[in-house]
Each structure stands twice: as C-alpha cells, then as structure tokens.
Amino acid sequence: MRYCINCCIHLLPNDLHRQCFRCRGPNHNNQKCPVCKGENKIPLYADSKQMKLLAVLEVRTDHSESWNGLFCLRKGKLCSLIFGLIIMTLVMASYVLTGAKHGLLLIPSPFHYGAFTSNPSLMDNESLSDIKDHYQPSKMNISYVKDYPSIKLIIDTITSKIEFITRQRPDVEELRKQEPHMFSVIPNKFLPNSKNPCWYEEYRGNTTTDPYATNSYALYSKRFRTIFDYLRKVFWNHLYHYKDKHYRLRCLPHFYIIGQPKCGTTDLYDRLRLHPDVRFSAIKEPHWWTRKRFGIIRLRDGFHDRYPVEDYLDLFDLAAHQIQGVLQSEAAREHSKMNTIVIGEASASTMWDNNAWIFFYDNSTEGEPPFLIQDFIHAFQPNAKLIVMLRDPVERLYSDYLYFASANKSAEDFHEKVAESLQLFENCMLDYSLRACVYNNTLNNAMPVRLQVGLYVVYLLDWLTVFDKDQILVLRLEDHASNVKYTMHMVFQFLDLGPLSEKQEALITKSPASNTRRPEDRSLGPMLPTTKAILRDFYRPFNTKLAQVLSDDAFLWKRT
C-alpha cells in the first residue's frame, strides 16, 4: 500500500507523488486529514517533511522543485535496472575482447608487436609477460580486412620489401665466447674408426653416483624416466677401463632431420629407424639446439634452467653402447673393423626456430640474429648431414593450424587468423629486413598462425652459408607420399647406408604412414578458396626463389 507523503491518502499503484491533487505541502493538518484523523500515528520528520512511520511505505524527499519531475521507483525496479546495466556492460566487454581477437570490431583494433631491443637480459624465472616487457611497443593499428583485394595490397607490400641478402658468417672464436662450456665438452676430433662422431670422455663419478641424477630431460618429463631408469642399470657395464680410469663413450648425431613441422618428418623418422644401421636419440624431438639449451620447455611457460650439453649427449647413450660394442668386438680389434652404425636426431624445429637468440645474444645487427643454430652445429660437426622434408607451404599452414589449434577450429577461423598474421608480418617488413622479421620472437608469438615456418628458402639460404649443398638433402612430402620406396632409397644413398634384404626393405617402405591428420580435423574440410588464393600469392615469391636455389620447379607447387 502506498501513501502520499503530504496528505496520507491512498495512492493507486501506478500513481506518482505529484499526481496527488489533495497535497497541500507542509501545511497539512493530521486532525483534518480524513485518512489520518482519529488514528494513533507517530509523526516522523525527515528533511522538514512530516511522515507517518506506519503509513509511509515509500519515502521520497523533496529537496527542490527539480526533483518533482522524477519518478518514484520501487526498490525491485531499481535493482533490475542496476542488474541490467551490469549485464549490458559484461556483454559489451565480451564483444570488445572477442571482436578484437577475431577481427569483428567495427573500428580498427590497435595491436602492438614488439620492436627489437638492443640489450635484452632475461632472468630464468621470468614469465612470458616479463619477456614482453623487453620490447618497446610499436604503435601500429591493425584493421582486419577480409576481402581479397585489400589483403592482396598487403601481400604486394610484403613482396616489394623482399630481399634475399647473404648473412655474414661468424668466426669460430666468436661462437666460443658465446658458448664456452659447450666448446669445453665437445672435442675437435672424433674416433677415426667410427662413421658416427664419437669420443671417449673420462668419468669421474664413483659406483654410488647416479650419472643421470641431474639430467633435465629426466627431471622435467615423466615419460622419459623409464628410459633413464634402464640407462642407470646398464651404465656401469659400458664403462671402458684404462690405466685405472673409467671412460664413457660419448656421441653426437651423424645426421639431423631438421624440418619442417607438418611436412612428414615423423613418418620419415619412423621408417628410417627401422634400418639396421640407424639409431636415434632416446627422445624423437629433443629440441635441444633450438630451445632446451636456452631453458625453453614451452614458450608459454617462460624460461627455466638451461639444459647443459651433457644432458643432450645423454640422449645418445643407448646408441653409444651399441657402437661401443662394435668397436670393442674381437673382429674390430683384429681387423680394424669400421663402425657403420650412425645416429640421427629429428627435431623439426632445428631448421627454423631461432626465436631465443634475442634474449641471449647481443643485438647489434639491425634486429638480425648474430648467431644461428647452424653456426654451432657446423663448428662441432662440419661434416654433418642434414635432411629436410618440405610440402606445399599453403597446405602445411592449414595442417599446422588444425594440429595446434585447441578450440573453435573452422575454415572461417583459419581465414581470420591468416588475415591477422599477414598484417602483422607486413608491419614488421615496413621497418625491418626479411631475416629480422622471420627470426623476430615477439612477432612470431603474436601471429595466430605460423606463416614464417613456410618461408623455406629464407632458412635454407642461411644453412647454405655454413654447409655445402651436397650435405643437405631436400625432399618433398608430395613425392614421399606418392612413392615411399623412391624417397627412402634417396635417403639411404644420401646417408651411405648398407644394403637391405627384401624383407627389411618391405618392412620400411610398406608400413602405414605415421602422424596423419586426425579424423576430427579431417571432418572440417579444406580451407576456403579465398584463403588458399591469398596464401598462394604470399608464398609465391619464396617458392620461386626456392625452386631456383634447388634447380627444381617441383618446389613451385603449381599442381597442388
């Protein structure tokens, strides 16, 4: 029940205070009021207004005439209004956040990628948010245009900035200054009677010492602990005793499968390890040269303690034990038998991932890394052999997206991410060289899809600055998929492996393909035709250069 605050008469539910025609202001007399007369009511005064405590259920103070036009709202309506405002605010915030991410905003969303810093220093316990603080943001707006003509202009800008400039190769002494411990562990010469690079290293531990107690691969990954449990059991049986000292055989890989991701490297690895003369590291992809030696386990987790080179060498102990068995056999000692077992390593990041350089090496080269992975590998193994498996970069990117994207995967979402990544890459190319952008850690982390991984020729040319062309075998996944036997024979010949029996060859070449596309990803179908056209335009100049370097037009990928 509602009452007029001045005359106490009953008001209808929809009546407003000002609609009470019997109100006479503050001169109201309780004794003359037909509603109040004779009732025992206690007057209540608030802001010079007399109120009845039991009669008044809704009070509105009248400070000035300007308040007379306001509505008397119930508490329920007021709460509903506030709640509605909160909901509307949350919806708008969600719209802004998701719109900025997926390119749905009606206005351009400012997106800043980090510029290069001249003197980065990174503590081991810094998170990724701390890592980003090492960069000064560049004030560039990104508009997520989706129509082909607009994106074509972006690609034309990128193409106009492309220059393939030969990098300056660093001296060995410069490399030694950067990694003195690595150079103190790995010798300059290896055993002459082993095809694989191996050497004997004095072991100073005693019989109660666990040789793998501090190995970071064993500490940070549960799935590798079984391997190291076995190595502990057999470790002492494989020590070489000479003049009251203990020696262990250490080995590096003879060959590396260096890339690229989603190009069939897993299938190549699975087939190649079936060859009787081939052994691999205990872990398929150690990622030591590119990540673990810098303390990177997962980029999103920031930096951890750096994995020393000894931890990497431990991964080859299983293979080293078998090589040692050949070297110490009677036939080897009597007839100087050569060990023909070779070790491989198959980290698909080795060819392209130099993202960590900015945090550890001085930047004095206009944003370009002064040292690359291949510089250090060549310093220790100038005769190493390298295998590269490539595929159409357009299809590689889509496969990469389907494999690594966690949710909301679709052809449309892929298109959005491609458009955003192209604009980020264009912004970098306006200020920096092609090499600087390809190896820019902040840009690469900001791009929703890994466009840079498909720029094969940029990486290949940098590897060719330190290794001879005949030391690198470049294969195409398309050829491997259509004729496995042919490509495997090319690999066997490249590595100079021994002959195989028909049964062994059939086992290697006729086994089903590894790491194929998941059924749930296959059901999403192909990318949009417009997306494919955009990516074809983007990768075309790089594919053209790659075909020229390899003297093979198949790397133009015109028929795929």
Side-chain angles (χ1 to χ4, degrees):
M1 188 73 67
R2 299 174 66 243
Y3 291 88
C4 174
I5 198 170
N6 289 322
C7 64
C8 302
I9 70 169
H10 294 280
L11 294 177
L12 294 175
N14 294 329
D15 282 344
L16 299 177
H17 188 158
R18 63 182 180 179
Q19 290 175 323
C20 178
F21 63 90
R22 295 183 59 183
C23 264
R24 293 295 182 269
N27 298 321
H28 171 68
N29 191 320
N30 291 342
Q31 299 300 322
K32 296 180 180 180
C33 177
V35 178
C36 300
K37 186 176 180 181
E39 296 185 13
N40 185 18
K41 297 181 180 179
I42 302 173
L44 177 67
Y45 290 88
D47 295 335
S48 303
K49 301 294 179 180
Q50 188 184 61
M51 296 177 291
K52 303 305 178 183
L53 185 61
L54 299 178
V56 180
L57 299 181
E58 179 175 307
V59 178
R60 182 174 66 89
T61 58
D62 192 7
H63 292 290
S64 63
E65 292 183 358
S66 62
W67 288 90
N68 292 334
L70 293 178
F71 294 109
C72 296
L73 298 175
R74 296 182 182 181
K75 290 184 179 179
K77 291 184 179 179
L78 182 61
C79 292
S80 299
L81 176 62
I82 295 173
F83 182 73
L85 289 173
I86 292 174
I87 294 298
M88 185 172 66
T89 303
L90 292 175
V91 170
M92 289 300 296
S94 174
Y95 167 75
V96 170
L97 291 175
T98 57
K101 181 177 179 181
H102 297 291
L104 301 175
L105 292 181
L106 299 178
I107 58 174
S109 171
F111 189 97
H112 306 302
Y113 73 89
F116 295 98
T117 179
S118 58
N119 248 327
S121 58
L122 186 68
M123 301 302 291
D124 289 338
N125 60 349
E126 283 185 317
S127 65
L128 280 186
S129 60
D130 298 322
I131 295 173
K132 292 178 182 177
D133 291 340
H134 286 283
Y135 295 94
Q136 298 298 325
S138 176
K139 297 181 179 179
M140 297 184 181
N141 290 331
I142 306 291
S143 59
Y144 299 120
V145 288
K146 305 303 181 295
D147 56 301
Y148 177 79
S150 298
I151 298 181
K152 185 65 168 63
L153 292 176
I154 294 173
I155 295 172
D156 291 342
T157 301
I158 294 172
T159 302
S160 67
K161 298 289 183 179
I162 294 174
E163 287 185 279
F164 299 103
I165 302 174
T166 304
R167 67 182 288 263
Q168 187 69 33
R169 178 176 168 180
D171 297 328
V172 176
E173 287 306 313
E174 294 179 76
L175 300 174
R176 192 185 299 274
K177 290 177 183 177
Q178 299 298 324
E179 301 287 352
H181 178 69
M182 198 189 308
F183 278 87
S184 69
V185 173
I186 302 176
N188 296 325
K189 295 182 179 180
F190 305 115
L191 295 176
N193 56 341
S194 175
K195 183 178 178 180
N196 196 86
C198 298
W199 69 96
Y200 280 105
E201 173 187 280
E202 183 179 354
Y203 181 72
R204 294 182 172 85
N206 54 49
T207 55
T208 61
T209 304
D210 179 2
Y212 303 105
T214 60
N215 187 287
S216 300
Y217 285 100
L219 293 175
Y220 284 108
S221 180
K222 293 180 180 178
R223 63 193 179 104
F224 299 144
R225 290 175 187 172
T226 303
I227 298 172
F228 285 101
D229 286 341
Y230 173 78
L231 287 172
R232 290 185 185 95
K233 293 177 182 178
V234 302
F235 179 80
W236 295 100
N237 299 331
H238 293 279
L239 286 181
Y240 177 64
H241 305 279
Y242 180 73
K243 292 184 178 181
D244 298 327
K245 291 184 179 181
H246 299 289
Y247 296 88
R248 66 189 294 189
L249 188 68
R250 289 291 209 178
C251 297
L252 281 168
H254 171 67
F255 69 94
Y256 297 84
I257 299 176
I258 62 175
Q260 291 286 63
K262 309 313 298 174
C263 290
T265 56
T266 299
D267 186 74
L268 178 62
Y269 161 84
D270 285 337
R271 296 181 191 279
L272 194 50
R273 69 193 181 108
L274 297 176
H275 195 287
D277 290 342
V278 175
R279 305 292 183 273
F280 275 94
S281 54
I283 302 166
K284 175 187 175 286
E285 294 189 274
H287 296 294
W288 185 79
W289 289 102
T290 55
R291 299 169 187 172
K292 300 299 190 294
R293 72 187 180 101
F294 297 110
I296 300 174
I297 297 177
R298 298 179 190 86
L299 284 174
R300 64 177 179 269
D301 296 336
F303 287 84
H304 295 256
D305 293 334
R306 300 178 70 176
Y307 287 31
V309 65
E310 291 88 347
D311 290 3
Y312 180 60
L313 297 176
D314 286 346
L315 301 181
F316 306 107
D317 277 2
L318 281 174
H321 294 165
Q322 297 183 44
I323 293 175
Q324 185 177 0
V326 174
L327 295 176
Q328 293 181 352
S329 66
E330 247 182 72
R333 289 197 298 268
E334 291 178 5
H335 306 290
S336 299
K337 183 180 178 182
M338 183 81 170
N339 162 63
T340 57
I341 294 176
V342 293
I343 303 174
E345 199 253 74
S347 297
S349 64
T350 307
M351 181 177 183
W352 64 275
D353 191 352
N354 281 274
N355 286 330
W357 75 268
I358 192 70
F359 303 111
F360 295 92
Y361 304 137
D362 178 45
N363 176 17
S364 57
T365 53
E366 297 295 328
E368 296 187 10
F371 311 106
L372 296 176
I373 302 304
Q374 51 266 39
D375 298 329
F376 293 97
I377 295 179
H378 184 269
F380 301 116
Q381 299 175 258
N383 299 319
K385 294 197 172 185
L386 311 165
I387 301 175
V388 182
M389 181 82 86
L390 305 177
R391 72 188 290 189
D392 180 357
V394 176
E395 296 298 334
R396 193 220 69 81
L397 187 64
Y398 191 50
S399 178
D400 196 68
Y401 162 78
L402 293 176
Y403 186 82
F404 288 105
S406 56
N408 302 321
K409 291 184 284 189
S410 67
E412 292 76 15
D413 181 65
F414 177 65
H415 182 87
E416 299 281 341
K417 287 177 166 55
V418 167
E420 181 180 346
S421 299
L422 283 169
Q423 291 173 79
L424 288 168
F425 197 81
E426 178 201 25
N427 287 338
C428 184
M429 290 288 287
L430 291 173
D431 294 324
Y432 297 101
S433 68
L434 173 61
R435 183 179 291 109
C437 292
V438 166
Y439 294 124
N440 182 352
N441 171 72
T442 303
L443 172 64
N444 293 339
N445 287 337
M447 288 194 295
V449 290
R450 301 193 294 183
L451 284 175
Q452 79 282 7
V453 178
L455 306 180
Y456 307 138
V457 70
V458 178
Y459 305 111
L460 182 61
L461 288 173
D462 284 348
W463 280 84
L464 287 172
T465 61
V466 291
F467 286 97
D468 293 335
K469 199 171 182 178
D470 59 3
Q471 291 179 262
I472 305 177
L473 175 65
V474 183
L475 304 170
R476 294 196 330 148
L477 175 61
E478 292 83 0
D479 300 330
H480 180 67
S482 63
N483 195 338
V484 173
K485 186 175 181 178
Y486 175 73
T487 56
M488 293 311 299
H489 273 255
M490 288 182 64
V491 174
F492 297 156
Q493 184 178 0
F494 176 70
L495 297 177
D496 193 22
L497 300 178
L500 295 170
S501 65
E502 289 185 10
K503 186 177 180 180
Q504 290 173 325
E505 183 175 308
L507 179 65
I508 294 174
T509 58
K510 294 183 179 180
S511 57
S514 302
N515 200 24
T516 56
R517 185 171 294 179
R518 295 169 295 204
E520 59 270 25
D521 292 339
R522 204 177 296 122
S523 65
L524 294 175
M527 71 183 82
L528 299 176
T530 303
T531 315
K532 179 174 284 192
I534 289 168
L535 291 173
R536 285 259 179 268
D537 291 340
F538 172 69
Y539 284 118
R540 184 175 292 111
F542 299 99
N543 293 342
T544 301
K545 182 66 175 180
L546 179 65
Q548 293 173 357
V549 172
L550 298 175
S551 301
D552 188 348
D553 286 345
F555 289 94
L556 294 171
W557 282 287
K558 286 184 176 180
R559 297 181 182 178
T560 57

